């Protein structure tokens, strides 16, 4: 594993090592996978504008998220069923994330319980919430708060699962020793699909609450004292609604290209949402901060740099963590986070940005902008 020098190489190894059904579950996207590919390619169209002759002898990547200090603005996104990648599943991911001194968002679709993951030791953990039914969701929020989780992240773009054709083709089923521990008992009859399709899609289609609205979000926010973030915002209109109900943070996300195909790449709409955030400090009733984060397609430190320049307070990475876990367990996750952090530091130094505060809108050029002709 010492020869792995970037996160894509972990995916190459995982493609060979993992059973095809489970690799496809992690790697796949919705329908034609246009958005899945666009999440990556959109980053390549953004150019970095380096500043030279800047004192970069000392660099600082530390930042605060919801008042919590972390080592760098690279965090672990919520992803399902880590035990498909490694026997220790989310327990190994949690230990590695804590060692990297950053945030792990634990999924409702985890293969370990909230409490088991908390028992791995100290660490900053958020809990990502799916609403299969409102009573169960309320119980999960209470359990997360009791177990020491620091925030709730409600995913809002999944009334049903997107059409993930690899899973349908593979007739995705879970092995006997793996289950979604937090929703055990829901949809057990779908453990083996009775017709071509994915068992997980069958569960989601039958049991996900499709009636959730902004009013329900407000009700859930009142259930906890924890900060409340919304994940799955892609438009300024929804960003404004989120700010109006005083959420504590927004995650710009298209679910890794796994839900609705042909929506834009997250980096392409990040600035629209981030600018909405800034302008609403004055005009909206939601006083105080509403940081904007982003996930989707982040594979390089340069990607992180570009996201920060376009208004993100931090980024979340998903698939690279899973593939690092698949190949080298806890150490693989730690190495993925370390590689991205080291790449970000290198980018900052060469671009003339010794601290995160030095990264700003002038640090990048988007496809819509023409290079300045002024001398």
């Amino acid at each position: 594993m010492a020869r792995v020098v970037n996160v894509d190489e972990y995916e190459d190894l995982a493609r060979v090592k993992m059973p095809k059904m489970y690799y496809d579950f992690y790697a796949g996207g919705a329908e034609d996978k246009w958005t899945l590919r666009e999440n990556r390619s959109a980053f390549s169209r953004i150019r970095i504008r380096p500043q030279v002759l800047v004192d970069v002898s000392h660099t600082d990547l530390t930042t605060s998220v919801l008042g919590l200090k972390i080592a760098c603005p690279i965090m672990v996104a919520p992803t399902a069923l880590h035990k498909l990648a490694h026997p220790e599943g989310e327990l190994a991911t949690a230990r590695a994330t804590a060692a990297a001194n950053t945030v792990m968002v634990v999924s409702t679709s985890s293969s370990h319980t909230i409490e088991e993951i908390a028992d791995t030791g100290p660490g900053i953990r958020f809990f990502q919430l799916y609403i299969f039914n409102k009573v169960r969701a309320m119980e999960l929020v209470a359990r997360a708060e009791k177990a020491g989780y620091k925030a709730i992240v409600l995913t809002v773009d999944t009334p049903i699962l997107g059409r993930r054709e690899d899973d349908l083709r593979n007739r995705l089923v879970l092995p006997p020793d793996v289950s979604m521990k937090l929703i055990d008992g829901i949809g057990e009859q779908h453990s083996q699909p009775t017709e071509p399709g994915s068992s997980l899609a069958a569960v989601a289609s039958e049991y996900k609450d499709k009636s959730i609205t902004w009013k329900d979000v407000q009700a859930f926010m009142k259930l906890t004292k924890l900060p409340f973030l919304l994940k799955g915002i892609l438009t300024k209109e929804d960003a404004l609604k989120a700010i109006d109900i005083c959420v504590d943070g927004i995650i710009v996300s298209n679910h890794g290209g796994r839900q609705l195909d042909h929506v834009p790449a997250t980096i392409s709409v990040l600035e629209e949402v981030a600018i909405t955030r800034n302008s609403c400090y004055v005009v909206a009733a939601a006083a105080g901060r509403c940081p904007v984060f982003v996930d989707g397609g982040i594979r390089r430190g340069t990607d992180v740099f570009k996201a920060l320049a376009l208004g993100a307070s931090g980024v979340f990475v998903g698939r690279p963590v899973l593939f690092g876990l698949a190949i080298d367990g806890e150490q693989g996750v730690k190495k993925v986070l370390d590689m991205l952090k080291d790449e970000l530091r290198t980018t900052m130094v060469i671009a003339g940005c010794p601290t995160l505060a030095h990264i700003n809108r002038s640090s990048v050029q988007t496809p819509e902008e023409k290079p300045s002709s002024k001398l």
Side-chain angles (χ1 to χ4, degrees), residues 63-66 68-79 93 97-98 100-106 124-126 151 153 229 250-251 291-296 298 304 308 312-321 333 336-337 340-341 344 356:
T63 189
S64 291
V65 173
L66 304 179
L68 303 163
K69 189 172 182 179
I70 57 176
C72 72
I74 303 168
M75 296 166 282
V76 174
T79 47
T93 306
T97 308
N101 190 23
T102 191
V103 173
M104 175 184 178
V105 186
V106 174
I124 302 173
R125 300 179 188 106
F126 298 172
V153 177
L229 297 85
I250 290 169
I251 302 177
V292 175
F293 306 96
V294 66
D295 66 20
I298 294 161
V304 181
L308 298 176
S313 295
V315 306
F316 289 92
V317 294
R319 290 181 177 94
V321 168
V333 174
V336 163
L337 295 172
L340 290 172
K341 180 181 178 182
L344 174 59
L356 299 178

Side-chain angles (χ1 to χ4, degrees), residues 252-263:
V252 178
S253 175
N254 57 32
H255 218 98
R258 295 164 66 80
Q259 277 298 100
L260 181 61
D261 203 11
H262 297 280
V263 299

Side-chain angles (χ1 to χ4, degrees), residues 108 110-111 113 136 178-188:
T108 294
S110 170
S111 43
T113 69
R136 180 69 68 92
V178 177
S179 67
M180 294 182 283
K181 284 292 185 71
L182 298 179
I183 54 174
D184 276 353
I186 293 180
E188 287 180 347

